[in-house]
Amino acid sequence: MVISIASQKGGTGKTTTSLSLAAGLARRHKKVLLIDIDSQANSSKVLLPHYQELRKEQTLYQTILESQPLIIHPTTVHNLSIVPAHILLADTDMALTTALDHREARLKRRLDEVKGLYDHVLIDCPPALSWLTINAFTASDGIIVTISPGYFELDSVVQISKSIKQVQDNFNPTLTLIGFLFTMSDSTVNSKTSLKLLRQAYPDSVLTTVIPRNTDMRDAHFNKQDIFAFSPQSRAAEAYNRLIDELFYEQKEA
């Protein structure tokens, strides 16, 4: 499957989840491709030590804005490759507004050429509904939506659900919602209440695994490492291992 990790808001653990799923699967001897379609390029900066030296022609910019093949780079994690983002992807909406080709499918066309080489393809989406997100959703089989505690975060679920429906109706009718992933959980009333309300509102769509708030994750990214390399015994690493089991292994066993 090609899976997008998405959120209508920033700061919900979207990139952390993309990195952790990709690295965790790679460490289970799966061949993984991570596509960074967020112009902030945070996934790319963690996994590519020399990211700052890359030219735009060596990034996803070539595919989205120039309709060229995907430029795939090896990363510091064995079995994990990445198509890095570039800050100029921020110009995508302006550039594609007047495009005459199937602008929503530029990523899909090029990904279809290579996805058979990988066991898993993950896409780290930008925190907004834009032509970048539409490209990601059009190329995907399923979506994981990350949600952190808070009133406005829960409100964003309605917005992204509408966005998914729009892409299903117009570009990708087989697209499915894999589930809502609750992240940054802690022992506060706000966190407990948010999770309770989410499960009440979407009883069949909330993933069982809950990702805890953990400083090890921030420190791992600061050191340009995934959580399994930086602190494999941490609560965050254990949670993402459980998530991988839930998403990719428990269903097969069932």
Side-chain angles (χ1 to χ4, degrees):
M1 290 183 69
V2 178
I3 298 176
S4 282
I5 293 87
S7 173
Q8 201 78 8
K9 287 178 61 64
T12 64
K14 173 186 58 63
T15 293
T16 293
T17 297
S18 301
L19 284 167
S20 300
L21 286 178
L25 286 164
R27 283 180 163 77
R28 296 194 189 198
H29 310 291
K30 300 297 183 182
K31 194 169 184 182
V32 182
L33 177 63
L34 176 60
I35 298 174
D36 188 356
I37 200 170
D38 185 347
S39 62
Q40 297 179 78
N42 290 330
S43 290
S44 306
K45 293 170 185 175
V46 170
L47 292 173
L48 296 175
H50 305 296
Y51 171 78
Q52 301 299 341
E53 300 172 13
L54 294 181
R55 304 184 307 277
K56 66 180 182 181
E57 293 81 12
Q58 297 173 287
T59 71
L60 189 63
Y61 177 94
Q62 279 293 88
T63 299
I64 299 297
L65 292 171
E66 302 294 340
S67 298
Q68 297 299 310
L70 291 170
I71 307 297
I72 300 171
H73 299 254
T75 72
T76 53
V77 179
H78 182 61
N79 288 327
L80 175 56
S81 301
I82 190 171
V83 179
H86 193 278
I87 192 171
L88 289 180
L89 284 172
D91 298 336
T92 298
D93 275 10
M94 184 181 301
L96 294 191
T97 296
T98 56
L100 299 178
D101 66 335
H102 293 288
R103 53 192 171 181
E104 80 285 348
R106 289 191 178 187
L107 175 59
K108 176 177 171 52
R109 287 199 301 270
R110 294 305 186 175
L111 180 56
D112 284 348
E113 298 170 354
V114 301
K115 68 180 183 182
L117 301 174
Y118 299 92
D119 298 306
H120 301 283
V121 178
L122 303 172
I123 306 176
D124 182 7
C125 297
L129 182 64
S130 62
W131 280 110
L132 291 174
T133 308
I134 291 172
N135 263 266
F137 287 5
T138 301
S140 294
D141 300 302
I143 300 172
I144 296 170
V145 178
T146 56
I147 303 168
S148 59
Y151 173 79
F152 294 110
E153 284 72 8
L154 293 178
D155 187 56
S156 71
V157 174
V158 177
Q159 300 172 35
I160 199 165
S161 297
K162 290 179 180 178
S163 300
I164 293 171
K165 182 67 164 55
Q166 289 173 358
V167 173
Q168 289 171 327
D169 290 343
N170 294 289
F171 306 123
N172 186 1
T174 62
L175 181 66
T176 61
L177 171 66
I178 295 172
F180 298 118
L181 175 65
F182 194 73
T183 61
M184 302 185 183
S185 176
D186 55 31
S187 59
T188 63
V189 172
N190 174 44
S191 181
K192 293 177 180 178
T193 303
S194 296
L195 180 56
K196 180 180 178 180
L197 291 173
L198 182 64
R199 285 176 168 161
Q200 287 176 342
Y202 303 94
D204 299 322
S205 300
V206 182
L207 294 168
T208 302
T209 303
V210 172
I211 307 300
R213 188 181 299 276
N214 192 285
T215 57
D216 286 328
M217 192 67 73
R218 180 192 60 206
D219 295 341
H221 295 170
F222 184 79
N223 286 278
K224 296 190 175 181
Q225 291 181 299
D226 65 89
I227 190 61
F228 302 106
F230 181 77
S231 183
Q233 306 303 319
S234 66
R235 292 173 61 236
E238 291 174 356
Y240 276 111
N241 266 323
R242 288 196 301 273
L243 179 63
I244 290 170
D245 287 337
E246 179 180 354
L247 293 173
F248 302 104
Y249 291 93
E250 291 177 1
Q251 294 178 350
K252 291 183 179 180
E253 292 173 1

